[in-house]
Amino acid sequence: MDERELWRELGQQLRVDAVRASAKAGSGHPTSSMSAADLAAVLLASHFRYDFDDPRGKGNDRLVFSKGHASPLVYGLFRAAGVLSEEEFGTYRQFGSRLEGHPVPVLPWVDVATGSLGQGLPIGVGMALAGKRLDRLPFRVWVICGDSEMAEGSMWEAAEHAAFYELDNLTAIIDVNRLGQRGETMHGWDLSSYSDRLRAFGWHAIEIDGHDVEQIDAAYREAQTTTGKPTAVVAKTLKGKGYSKVEDQNGWHGKAVAEEAVEELGGIRNLTVDVPKPDHGEPHRFETSGGNWPAYEVGDKVATRKAYGEALAALGGDRGDVVVLDGEVSNSTYAEIFRDAHPERYLEMYIAEQQMVAAAVGVQVLGWKPFSSTFAAFLSRAYDFVRMAAVSQATLAFCGSHAGVSIGEDGPSQMGLEDLAEFRAINGSTVLYPCDGNQTTKLVRAMADLEGISYLRTTRADTEVIYSAEEEFPVGGSKTLREGDDVAIVTAGITVPEALRAADALAEEGISARVIDAYSVKPIDAATLCSLAMPIVTVEDHRAEGGLGEAVLAALAEGGATPHVAVLAVRELPHSGKPAELLAAAGIDAGAIADSARHVVQEAAAVS
Amino acid sequence: MDERELWRELGQQLRVDAVRASAKAGSGHPTSSMSAADLAAVLLASHFRYDFDDPRGKGNDRLVFSKGHASPLVYGLFRAAGVLSEEEFGTYRQFGSRLEGHPVPVLPWVDVATGSLGQGLPIGVGMALAGKRLDRLPFRVWVICGDSEMAEGSMWEAAEHAAFYELDNLTAIIDVNRLGQRGETMHGWDLSSYSDRLRAFGWHAIEIDGHDVEQIDAAYREAQTTTGKPTAVVAKTLKGKGYSKVEDQNGWHGKAVAEEAVEELGGIRNLTVDVPKPDHGEPHRFETSGGNWPAYEVGDKVATRKAYGEALAALGGDRGDVVVLDGEVSNSTYAEIFRDAHPERYLEMYIAEQQMVAAAVGVQVLGWKPFSSTFAAFLSRAYDFVRMAAVSQATLAFCGSHAGVSIGEDGPSQMGLEDLAEFRAINGSTVLYPCDGNQTTKLVRAMADLEGISYLRTTRADTEVIYSAEEEFPVGGSKTLREGDDVAIVTAGITVPEALRAADALAEEGISARVIDAYSVKPIDAATLCSLAMPIVTVEDHRAEGGLGEAVLAALAEGGATPHVAVLAVRELPHSGKPAELLAAAGIDAGAIADSARHVVQEAAAVS
């Protein structure tokens, strides 16, 4: 079979397989797969370089299906590559199958989960950045995008960053099948609406007929010889191509089509393609000469955000695989300390938080260890990306600075008040909230070895160092800072000093308050909490919902403990003011803590 | 004073005032204000139409500072308009002042809070849409944008929608001062990088010197005579313009400058501008002929998402102020039922969730009542916009469909599992989670009268109607579906039928289980929960963190109740499969509920 015939036959096979898989499952997205089948066939047969036996291999090209709903096409490709049996292919969408409704990395050849549209291209930017700046290998990143998802702003963050970083190793293949889920897209088949925009963003763009295999092949060749800029292949296609009953018809998105389509498509084929392996040599490694870990004197003052930056720079000195990304606020998060120490491993993401998180997902696919930072409030901009990163089983470390009302005059738009709730709810996450410099240092070091999504919450203000530099802070632990039996104050971060001051005031009144620093918010130190035979006051510079207080309540419930608990947290809309004024107004300063402690102690006395 | 001299003098006054305000506060963003001062001065003096005595007036032009950190400039404009006294102007950033670090609608002339970059322009798109499609008045929307924030994808969602909807009533003024927070932007002073992109997106773009008042005036005139497309005024400016020590210098972002700048700027001025009032006549009103409210038969099956769409259409028949937005999934959320009934009040937002939420914020400024919907999972894409909408004290109703593992085969990327945590943590929010069609109907009707952010969680599957159409469901209430004294099962939504089945199974074993439908997750029915003198099992198709279980625990703690509570929730990464398989795998189906109930009952017996 000559190459052109192979392309055409393979395209038909992929269509047939999409129909078969979805028909058997009774659901799925065959029509969205059929439009992109020729684009995928030519790629697999003649351009893709990949070692299916070593999917983590650093020289491999990467293929991302940004339009993840075209999963039957993804699985059809793996079948065509000879790595997926017909038997397993038939398990599509069944419970226990690796072939889920949208691709997930349970399959070794899937790098990242897609299905939330607009994420694949920005993740591809991260992979291409890794290829250019970190691994320094000439692998290519191919991203198959839908036309509907071009409406997501994140696609334009990706367009901007890909051009700015001159990612000529990145090719976006845009499957312009005209039809979204519920009707026509904004631009229908106006290919120039996409290519003009992308060219204005600095891309090379090629418009083709996405069912003409020779045009597809020529475009891919052109992409590979274009230097200094990424290439977009903007392909006019037909949704449901090849089955006359559904081809270019609205109303067939996400619906299985009848097996009768197989006949019209020329029947089942069993072509396999021998995908050539890459041979690029070894990836670049960054030499390191040891980290200069900070040690703060007890009683000195340092902001936890600053300690984050200093620890990060030290970590980068120990480990050449650590990479740092920041959203144009590195002089606030102090990621700039890492940038100045290790400029080659610092990726400026400008004010594009979605692209920042997506790039981190992309670079960790290649084995790098990304730490990403911005204000805690602005990580909420990328929450869908964090959520999906967990589905991707990605290992990512985040730092959110400027948490809570304690930031002061900048006001509520800049205050991270929902971040503990956000990150606690992420599958398999770790949530850490240090109160001083030495604790921050140890927690940053610990994050480097954690799997999954980890989050460090830092604060703006300088705070007193209360722990010696020798103290250890295991994830899942806590520190009892003050012993006491009448009431326990459980807190973390900026309110730890407030709790200590409250305990002092209470001691003068004869109330003995235990103070527990629950720096590990998730997993929380359930054993310590459940052993408390006294009423509890929890305190946090965060909204009451989903924060430390509820984490404590959940741990107590899980352990069968039933003490009285008062939850002090932010319950109103804060304003601008001095930090101390705002902590007082929110009812989370030393005075409010002491008041609450007195109240629960009196209640306990009345009961007993 | 002739007009040109007024513009120049007013520009200098605005600079002086930015310096004075920040110097007194000891913080703030004077340099970011100084770059845009001439742009603002010409606008206020010669183009803006606004009744400062009637800021809610529908004919008013709207001015949005997308670069909200330039708040000294905002307040300087209000002083120049004669509505802010010198005394109040001096309270900038003080606790209790209306002049917060970033603008908030505590001031009557501020429509929306800004400060999270990239939000002002998409909100302006919503206001301009309201002007074109809803109010049908020729007011203009002026948005002053920073150049750094053009890196946010949401700005390009706005660019796309503004062009698609031909919003020639919208003018974006881009203050290209070259310098971001920590250094130069991607494009520096390359004005064409912005204007080329915007033109490719379908805008009219004008490049000017942003300190040449005549060029500014001409550009604003051109914007007002351009039809069929929005206009961008791309202005080259100097950050810190007018004070030689800081002008065009890096390192002065967000820092107060010395009062000595006032002298260099020519001293304090006290110009006031008499801004002309608009005279546009009355806004359009949509006629309504009464809603056809659905009533489902007990025992029939209907998905809550479908009931949402039907109720929404009925609501639109009762109230002409109800507007619906959807993110290109209206055939899944069933917002299409409203669209078909009231096409003029339906705004298709395509797959651009950030723009969807921002547009909703914009239209509610004009007094409309927006309901916005997409999959619950994809509302996470716009979480920063929801967070900021609460700071804006906006009234917005949301519906997130396809909640939980019960969606089945589509897999985890499409499952809303963090949405309760997200929306509970929003200041002043209401969170509702119905289990049947009639309950959904009543809750949708209730949402139309709620203030602030309200959220309705709907599910994909058809579920049995268990309530009569006459039943009422007050916000903050609950329903006891089954009486019992051994254990209480507290749940909502898709797991209500599971709880009822569990109660049946338990009854056969002699365990009397109360079943409570906590459809109002926030505010939750604390009185009912605290009155339960029995162990409790909570059940939810949502992550354990921040969901219904923790809401129950928080309510019990607040009320001083200390029963044993077991929290059943999603604690692992789900996969594809049949809904029943996935509910079982997550441990939230009838069998798991019964097991947990048996366990807590045995424990309680062992204790007593």
Side-chain angles (χ1 to χ4, degrees), chain B residues 298-322:
Chain B
V298 171
D300 280 1
K301 285 196 150 195
V302 62
T304 53
R305 61 183 170 128
K306 184 129 190 219
Y308 167 75
E310 292 181 342
L312 208 55
L315 183 65
D318 276 354
R319 291 178 54 157
D321 61 343
V322 170

Side-chain angles (χ1 to χ4, degrees), chain A residues 156-474:
Chain A
W156 300 99
E157 294 183 14
E160 184 78 300
H161 283 73
F164 182 77
Y165 285 111
E166 301 178 356
L167 302 180
D168 49 22
N169 54 345
L170 174 70
T171 306
I173 302 161
I174 307 177
D175 176 23
V176 185
N177 67 20
R178 189 182 72 82
L179 293 170
Q181 171 173 327
R182 48 83 265 161
E184 191 163 48
T185 64
M186 278 193 220
H187 304 298
W189 272 328
D190 178 10
L191 298 191
S192 67
S193 68
Y194 301 104
S195 51
D196 287 351
R197 283 163 173 72
L198 286 161
R199 284 183 195 121
F201 271 75
W203 286 53
H204 180 56
I206 309 165
E207 298 178 16
I208 62 166
D209 173 346
H211 301 307
D212 181 324
V213 289
E214 293 177 49
Q215 285 190 36
I216 298 169
D217 178 62
Y220 291 170
R221 284 181 200 283
E222 192 173 318
Q224 289 170 87
T225 55
T226 299
T227 56
K229 50 173 65 174
T231 295
V233 177
V234 182
K236 179 179 174 179
T237 62
L238 294 164
K239 196 159 178 171
K241 163 78 177 172
Y243 178 39
S244 50
K245 187 176 160 190
V246 304
E247 186 178 288
D248 193 35
Q249 297 296 309
N250 199 16
W252 284 97
H253 181 94
K255 291 184 183 158
V257 299
E259 286 257 28
E260 69 178 31
V262 173
E263 195 179 340
E264 186 176 334
L265 289 160
I268 295 174
R269 292 147 176 94
N270 291 293
L271 296 169
T272 55
V273 172
D274 196 9
V275 173
K277 297 177 184 178
D279 180 19
H280 296 320
E282 286 302 301
H284 177 76
R285 294 276 171 237
F286 292 94
E287 295 297 320
T288 54
S289 53
N292 184 19
W293 288 90
Y296 306 101
E297 290 293 319
V298 172
D300 280 0
K301 285 198 150 194
V302 62
T304 53
R305 61 183 171 129
K306 183 129 189 217
Y308 167 75
E310 292 181 342
L312 207 55
L315 183 66
D318 276 353
R319 292 178 53 158
D321 61 342
V322 170
V323 176
V324 170
L325 304 93
D326 189 271
E328 221 266 307
V329 288
S330 57
N331 53 343
S332 287
T333 59
Y334 285 107
E336 68 179 9
I337 303 174
F338 180 97
R339 178 200 64 197
D340 293 345
H342 313 287
E344 291 183 299
R345 284 184 274 146
Y346 177 80
L347 300 171
E348 178 58 59
M349 290 290 113
Y350 297 91
I351 309 183
E353 295 81 7
Q354 297 183 108
Q355 177 58 74
M356 178 179 77
V357 176
V361 172
V363 304
Q364 65 87 41
V365 167
L366 277 301
W368 301 94
K369 190 88 196 177
F371 280 70
S372 307
S373 50
T374 183
F375 284 31
F378 305 140
L379 282 171
S380 66
R381 195 63 154 265
Y383 191 49
D384 192 29
F385 287 73
V386 177
R387 176 185 80 82
M388 285 297 294
V391 181
S392 287
Q393 299 181 39
T395 288
L396 300 175
F398 290 102
C399 174
S401 71
H402 293 69
V405 302
S406 70
I407 66 163
E409 287 83 355
D410 269 341
S413 65
Q414 317 293 302
M415 296 170 177
L417 288 168
E418 304 82 8
D419 54 317
L420 295 178
E422 288 170 58
F423 279 92
R424 283 185 65 233
I426 294 294
N427 188 64
S429 65
T430 303
V431 179
L432 306 169
Y433 183 16
C435 67
D436 90 343
N438 288 323
Q439 191 178 46
T440 305
T441 303
K442 293 290 173 71
L443 294 177
V444 170
R445 187 167 359 204
M447 286 171 86
D449 295 319
L450 294 175
E451 299 274 309
I453 309 296
S454 61
Y455 175 63
L456 185 82
R457 181 180 219 232
T458 64
T459 43
R460 179 174 183 274
D462 288 340
T463 48
E464 194 174 315
V465 176
I466 60 171
Y467 294 110
S468 89
E470 282 68 48
E471 193 98 22
E472 296 297 329
F473 302 93

Side-chain angles (χ1 to χ4, degrees), chain A residues 27 29 93-96 100-102 104 106 114-119 148-154 156-157 160-161 164 180-187 193 196-197 200-202 328-332 339 348 350-354 375 377-378 380-381 383-385 387-388 390-391 393 409-415 418 421-422 424-428 522 543 545-546 550-551 553-554 557-558 560-565 571-578 581-582 585, chain B residues 27 29 93-96 100-102 104 106 114-119 148-154 156-157 160-161 164 180-187 193 196-197 200-202 328-332 339 348 350-354 375 377-378 380-381 383-385 387-388 390-391 393 409-415 418 421-422 424-428 522 543 545-546 550-551 553-554 557-558 560-565 571-578 581-582 585:
Chain A
S27 66
H29 295 78
R93 286 180 162 245
Q94 291 176 16
F95 186 67
E100 299 204 18
H102 293 74
V104 287
V106 176
T114 49
S116 177
L117 290 170
Q119 301 208 7
S148 281
E149 67 176 326
M150 298 305 287
E152 287 283 12
S154 53
W156 300 99
E157 294 183 14
E160 184 78 300
H161 283 73
F164 182 77
Q181 171 173 327
R182 48 83 265 161
E184 191 163 48
T185 64
M186 278 193 220
H187 304 298
S193 68
D196 287 351
R197 283 163 173 72
F201 271 75
E328 221 266 307
V329 288
S330 57
N331 53 343
S332 287
R339 178 200 64 197
E348 178 58 59
Y350 297 91
I351 309 183
E353 295 81 7
Q354 297 183 108
F375 284 31
F378 305 140
S380 66
R381 195 63 154 265
Y383 191 49
D384 192 29
F385 287 73
R387 176 185 80 82
M388 285 297 294
V391 181
Q393 299 181 39
E409 287 83 355
D410 269 341
S413 65
Q414 317 293 302
M415 296 170 177
E418 304 82 8
E422 288 170 58
R424 283 185 65 233
I426 294 294
N427 188 64
K522 180 184 174 188
R543 304 262 336 151
E545 297 87 358
E550 292 191 357
L553 291 170
E558 176 84 15
T562 55
H564 280 273
V565 181
R571 293 175 189 271
E572 310 263 321
L573 185 63
H575 299 287
S576 289
K578 294 194 175 65
E581 291 169 332
L582 298 176
Chain B
S27 67
H29 295 78
R93 286 180 163 246
Q94 291 176 14
F95 186 69
E100 298 204 19
H102 293 74
V104 287
V106 176
T114 49
S116 178
L117 290 170
Q119 300 207 9
S148 281
E149 68 175 325
M150 298 306 288
E152 287 283 12
S154 54
W156 299 98
E157 294 183 14
E160 185 78 300
H161 283 72
F164 182 76
Q181 171 172 327
R182 48 81 266 160
E184 192 163 48
T185 64
M186 280 193 220
H187 303 298
S193 68
D196 287 351
R197 284 163 173 73
F201 271 74
E328 221 265 306
V329 289
S330 57
N331 52 344
S332 287
R339 179 201 63 198
E348 178 57 59
Y350 296 92
I351 309 183
E353 296 81 7
Q354 297 183 107
F375 284 31
F378 304 141
S380 66
R381 195 61 154 265
Y383 191 49
D384 192 28
F385 286 74
R387 177 186 78 83
M388 285 296 296
V391 181
Q393 299 180 41
E409 287 83 354
D410 269 341
S413 65
Q414 317 293 303
M415 295 170 178
E418 304 82 8
E422 289 169 58
R424 282 186 64 232
I426 294 294
N427 187 66
K522 181 185 175 189
R543 304 264 334 152
E545 298 86 359
E550 293 192 357
L553 291 169
E558 176 85 15
T562 56
H564 279 274
V565 180
R571 293 175 189 270
E572 310 263 320
L573 185 63
H575 299 287
S576 290
K578 293 193 175 67
E581 291 169 333
L582 298 176

